[in-house]
Amino acid sequence: AQNRIVVIGGGFGGASAAKYLRKLDPSLSVTLIEPKATFYTCPFSNWVLGGLKNMEDIAQTYTVLKNRYGVNVIADSASSIDAAKGTVTLKSGKVLNYDRLIVSPGIDFKWNSIEGYSESVSNTKMPHAYEAGPQTALLHKQLLAMNDGGTVLICPPANPFRCPPGPYERASLVAHYLKEKKPKSKIIILDPKDKFSKQGLFKKGWEKLYPGMIEWRSVATGGKISKVDAAAMTVTTDFGVEKGDVINIIPPQQAGKIAVDAGLTDASGWCPVNPITFESTIHPGIHVIGDACIAGAMPKSGFAASSQGKVVAASIIRLCQGKVPAPPSLVNTCYSLIGPGYGVSVAGVYKLTSAGIVEIPGSGGLTPMDADDDHLNEEATFARGWYNNIVQDIWG
Ligand code: FAD
């Protein structure tokens, strides 16, 4: 009988898995469940905030997956999974049977972790813009409406979270916009951490491009927020109350709701998996990829999710053929734009050891601290190329 693979979530992980399953084995029946007709990518959404791209530039659809690759795309969301029966129930009430299920639902937010913050506050006053779409548009609108001389507060969460360099690229590109249009303004990053991804490179770029505009406060200098007041537009830290004209709260995160509801998460809020096949160590037959899974040293990035999507496709095909899946190599590169001609990156290649997924020593690394202007400009060009390639590879 034909093997039936169901994929929940048409983002970086799920859409990659669905496409590569059909590319590698067209005899499989592959069904992708995704409620959004248009998927706005988080990668490059900071570029929208900086005025370098618009929302249409980051919009992806499922037409090619459907028409060229024969993926059965259902515009609905999964409301429950029955791991014992091997079924997924959709919001519409429809029930799908699967032989193997791939779950790539991304993240959910821990709304109750900050007093005064809620989903409705995030949708109206203090957007997270950590799922691209209406939230990105709202934060962009607020930045456009802010007066010159205003203060933008960016409040990232503690680790682990989606896209470790994301809040700092955001600060950079918002600064690019403010420097051009509202140069008396200021950005304060209130961070509950004592260090952040590519910190040295970001700080160097900020000093060069936006001197005095971006202030980063660590946990030791009042970066940890405990409370927000949406009416007063303030946040409370251990050191006092801070007022913002635009406030971007990026709340603590966990695996997407369907993964939590299906019992695929452990006490950490993320999903433990076998690192060869990404099969859940809790529910056999269900594979979890992308931000929702625990993937050792790999960061929660779109590139990592897509890399895992291809690995899971190859593993499932071997499992369907009764073969043993091969241990994978996995890759990741994260570009961050600090200014239009100023890019930096971190890259890694990962392998499997008895300690799980680890980075191969010397395989990747960071943009050198002493990179010259040509190098930094070239990295900005590579960032554009990276985006065009990955969205073509996944949705094109
Ligand atoms: P997603 O891509 O979020 O996809 C999840 C999908 O599942 C969504 O479409 C959602 O609608 C769907 N879904 C959820 N629940 C259900 C359900 N019950 N039923 C059906 N569908 C469901 N990564 C990079 O590699 N490079 C970058 O430059 C980069 N920049 C970033 C910048 C920002 C500001 C942010 C926030 C993130 C950035 N990332 C970047 C990270 C990247 O966006 C994520 O790591 C990536 O999207 C994770 O892929 P995923 O498949 O796990 O989740």
Side-chain angles (χ1 to χ4, degrees):
Q2 194 184 29
N3 282 299
R4 297 154 306 176
I5 317 297
V6 172
V7 184
I8 298 178
F12 279 80
S16 299
K19 176 170 169 178
Y20 273 81
L21 279 164
R22 290 281 306 167
K23 253 177 102 127
L24 296 173
D25 185 353
S27 75
L28 294 173
S29 150
V30 178
T31 299
L32 175 65
I33 308 159
E34 169 59 58
K36 297 174 192 150
T38 301
F39 177 83
Y40 291 97
T41 63
C42 282
F44 276 33
S45 63
N46 288 330
W47 298 44
V48 173
L49 301 176
L52 302 169
K53 294 273 174 200
N54 53 43
M55 291 300 287
E56 296 90 82
D57 297 325
I58 61 166
Q60 309 300 331
T61 66
Y62 299 94
T63 315
V64 175
L65 286 185
K66 256 189 280 195
N67 296 347
R68 192 177 313 154
Y69 293 96
V71 175
N72 174 27
V73 181
I74 301 182
D76 201 343
S77 58
S79 46
S80 66
I81 298 168
D82 187 326
K85 285 197 192 133
T87 58
V88 177
T89 303
L90 307 186
K91 202 169 160 198
S92 61
K94 194 172 170 170
V95 179
L96 304 175
N97 292 286
Y98 63 80
D99 296 304
R100 293 219 165 244
L101 176 65
I102 299 174
V103 178
S104 189
I107 53 166
D108 195 11
F109 299 100
K110 295 182 177 173
W111 297 112
N112 296 330
S113 49
I114 303 166
E115 193 186 332
Y117 196 66
S118 64
E119 194 164 2
S120 100
V121 167
S122 91
N123 285 331
T124 52
K125 299 277 284 194
M126 298 179 174
H128 52 73
Y130 238 60
E131 280 168 333
Q135 284 265 338
T136 317
L138 175 60
L139 183 56
H140 189 214
K141 198 172 114 197
Q142 292 178 343
L143 290 166
L144 294 178
M146 190 180 83
N147 289 330
D148 190 7
T151 299
V152 179
L153 300 181
I154 298 179
C155 308
N159 293 320
F161 67 105
R162 159 174 286 186
C163 194
Y168 315 97
E169 179 188 59
R170 174 168 294 171
S172 311
L173 295 183
V174 170
H176 164 72
Y177 162 71
L178 296 176
K179 184 181 164 184
E180 284 197 338
K181 307 282 186 200
K182 295 162 189 176
K184 288 186 262 170
S185 309
K186 191 169 172 175
I187 299 168
I188 304 174
I189 304 171
L190 295 172
D191 209 327
K193 301 186 279 300
D194 57 7
K195 57 177 191 293
F196 61 88
S197 172
K198 296 183 256 189
Q199 180 166 346
L201 292 166
F202 274 114
K203 285 195 150 180
K204 189 174 170 210
W206 295 344
E207 272 160 35
K208 178 156 188 211
L209 301 178
Y210 318 112
M213 189 175 254
I214 302 175
E215 183 192 342
W216 177 70
R217 291 189 203 158
S218 72
V219 62
T221 51
K224 189 173 183 314
I225 65 165
S226 52
K227 189 175 158 185
V228 306
D229 183 333
M233 284 298 277
T234 57
V235 308
T236 304
T237 75
D238 299 344
F239 285 52
V241 175
E242 206 65 55
K243 189 160 171 49
D245 297 284
V246 172
I247 303 182
N248 170 218
I249 305 283
I250 306 169
Q253 298 158 20
Q254 60 188 3
K257 185 170 185 304
I258 186 78
V260 177
D261 292 351
L264 290 161
T265 48
D266 66 14
S268 71
W270 307 100
C271 304
V273 292
N274 168 331
I276 298 183
T277 56
F278 286 85
E279 187 166 1
S280 164
T281 55
I282 300 173
H283 289 309
I286 303 180
H287 302 250
V288 187
I289 56 172
D291 290 352
C293 78
I294 301 170
M298 295 190 88
K300 297 190 183 301
S301 80
F303 196 151
S306 176
S307 188
Q308 293 158 11
K310 292 172 186 177
V311 163
V312 86
S315 296
I316 285 180
I317 287 167
R318 286 184 74 88
L319 288 167
C320 289
Q321 293 167 345
K323 294 180 185 160
V324 177
S329 278
L330 291 138
V331 285
N332 180 60
T333 308
C334 280
Y335 288 98
S336 299
L337 202 71
I338 300 183
Y342 195 123
V344 294
S345 63
V346 56
V349 184
Y350 302 83
K351 67 170 181 183
L352 217 63
T353 67
S354 53
I357 300 173
V358 299
E359 189 170 343
I360 299 171
S363 65
L366 285 171
T367 302
M369 275 301 280
D370 60 357
D372 63 18
D373 289 352
D374 285 346
H375 183 134
L376 297 164
N377 192 36
E378 202 168 48
E379 293 239 33
T381 305
F382 290 162
R384 292 183 176 86
W386 171 82
Y387 184 84
N388 294 338
N389 284 328
I390 199 162
V391 297
Q392 174 69 26
D393 186 26
I394 300 175
W395 292 277

